[in-house]
Amino acid sequence: MSEEDEKYLDLFPTWLSQLGEDAQLMTNLLRHDGVPDPVVEAVAGGLNYLFKSLDLIPDGIDDIGYLDDAIVLRVAAAQSLREDLAGVGKEVLQPAVALADQCEPIRAFLGEDFARLESYVQGLRQGSARGRAVADIVRDKTLRAEFISEVELFSKNYEPPGFAKEQKNLIKLRAFFDAKLPR
């Protein structure tokens, strides 16, 4: 096993264990007035992905079922920071910065498929889950508050799955991304 693969086998279980906390922290960008709509779209798209019934890797797949959610959240955070952030305080942005800083290992892990993942995550801004469109979360403050409550409930009830530090999990993960990301 390569040194790089060993790094991922150490990193990915940490991301799985932190998914609930990371989702909770990302809702801070949705709570504050003055956060530009494109930032809210990126964050809401990433968080809404948690509730998609047909995501890239079904949540019930042992070891890696929620790993795509953790990865999508990090890419969405990075995309949110590419938007116009004038007037948004550092304390509000801190959770997004922390997650966005973790995109480089994803880029290295996926190689050429990373661009497809970025495009997929960008497309989540146009999507919906549980009958709730990202555009509606951006525009409707009542719906946004309900969405934040739902993310908080997910975060509270999330129990990280186990993750066996076996190379076969990395092979499965790469295979899912290769097969499921739109070309």
Side-chain angles (χ1 to χ4, degrees):
M1 181 178 331
S2 75
E3 193 173 302
E4 280 293 304
D5 283 352
E6 286 183 30
K7 179 178 82 174
Y8 302 129
L9 290 173
D10 287 335
L11 185 61
F12 292 161
T14 302
W15 290 0
L16 282 172
S17 69
Q18 294 174 341
L19 178 59
E21 295 168 36
D22 293 340
Q24 174 70 36
L25 289 171
M26 287 300 291
T27 63
N28 289 336
L29 280 164
L30 302 180
R31 283 189 173 92
H32 293 279
D33 292 331
V35 175
D37 286 353
V39 175
V40 175
E41 288 173 359
V43 172
L47 288 169
N48 214 20
Y49 181 81
L50 297 170
F51 305 112
K52 281 183 73 77
S53 56
L54 296 173
D55 52 0
L56 295 168
I57 302 172
D59 292 340
I61 301 285
D62 289 338
D63 298 312
I64 64 170
Y66 280 98
L67 197 48
D68 61 317
D69 299 70
I71 288 171
V72 163
L73 201 56
R74 282 158 173 76
V75 174
Q79 289 179 355
S80 76
L81 294 176
R82 292 184 199 134
E83 301 299 340
D84 180 12
L85 297 169
V88 180
K90 283 185 176 183
E91 69 283 347
V92 174
L93 295 174
Q94 185 50 44
V97 170
L99 290 180
D101 285 347
Q102 297 173 14
C103 276
E104 195 51 45
I106 300 167
R107 180 185 309 279
F109 178 76
L110 289 178
E112 294 175 7
D113 287 338
F114 185 76
R116 291 172 46 214
L117 175 63
E118 280 192 309
S119 178
Y120 178 82
V121 173
Q122 180 76 23
L124 292 174
R125 297 178 189 203
Q126 310 308 314
S128 64
R130 294 186 179 173
R132 180 182 46 234
V134 169
D136 295 335
I137 294 167
V138 172
R139 285 191 289 270
D140 186 329
K141 289 188 185 257
T142 301
L143 183 62
R144 188 183 310 186
E146 291 171 6
F147 177 64
I148 289 170
S149 293
E150 194 170 341
V151 173
E152 289 173 337
L153 184 62
F154 167 85
S155 298
K156 179 182 175 187
N157 294 325
Y158 174 74
E159 292 191 26
F163 183 86
K165 294 184 178 186
E166 300 173 356
Q167 192 166 19
K168 71 177 182 174
N169 283 328
L170 300 180
I171 293 167
K172 285 192 303 188
L173 186 60
R174 283 183 179 111
F176 267 106
F177 279 117
D178 180 55
K180 295 281 192 104
L181 286 169
R183 296 197 182 270

